[in-house]
Amino acid sequence: MSSKPMEEDTNGKTEEEEFNTGPLSVLMMSVKNNTQVLINCRNNRKLLGRVRAFDRHCNMVLENVREMWTEVPKTGKGKKKALPVNRDRFISKMFLRGDSVIIVLRNPK
């Protein structure tokens, strides 16, 4: 049995080369430079934080995360529609499963 250290693509590129040049390069640069990324998730949530690690499925280990979302409070019968309220919370360390990720952007500073 021979074991290869990296999986090879159909084009002959290694997984590491694909991370450096492909769509996952945003995450790779964030890990190397310790920069923030903005992640849009399902259920209209946004995460702003630093990426510690990731894989090809976009599973991520994040630090210093600010989670932001909007809520519409419920109103009683016959009352006016309530205005949406912006909510957020801080999470020091978290694991984010890749199937909830919609898009990843560099920090728009």
Side-chain angles (χ1 to χ4, degrees):
M1 276 203 267
S2 72
S3 63
K4 292 189 274 183
M6 295 272 173
E7 295 281 327
E8 290 224 4
D9 236 2
T10 55
N11 299 340
K13 289 184 178 178
T14 63
E15 192 175 48
E16 188 174 352
E17 287 172 341
E18 195 66 34
F19 282 170
N20 287 328
T21 60
L24 294 174
S25 64
V26 173
L27 292 173
M28 183 63 101
M29 293 307 292
S30 175
V31 170
K32 284 183 179 175
N33 300 332
N34 196 29
T35 56
Q36 285 184 321
V37 293
L38 180 68
I39 304 165
N40 280 11
C41 296
R42 290 166 54 169
N43 297 328
N44 203 23
R45 303 276 173 134
K46 291 173 180 54
L47 302 172
L48 181 65
R50 301 186 189 282
V51 181
R52 283 288 152 231
F54 69 97
D55 66 6
R56 71 177 92 176
H57 308 290
C58 284
N59 296 323
M60 290 178 240
V61 176
L62 302 168
E63 282 186 343
N64 301 328
V65 180
R66 174 77 52 198
E67 181 183 16
M68 298 161 279
W69 71 98
T70 57
E71 288 180 350
V72 180
K74 294 187 177 174
T75 58
K77 229 178 190 179
K79 292 189 179 173
K80 276 200 254 181
K81 276 247 184 195
L83 294 174
V85 177
N86 290 329
R87 301 281 314 269
D88 69 338
R89 65 178 175 172
F90 180 78
I91 303 165
S92 60
K93 291 185 191 318
M94 73 179 290
F95 174 81
L96 177 64
R97 189 176 153 94
D99 63 352
S100 63
V101 173
I102 296 173
I103 189 168
V104 178
L105 302 168
R106 281 179 283 145
N107 187 5
K109 257 189 184 174

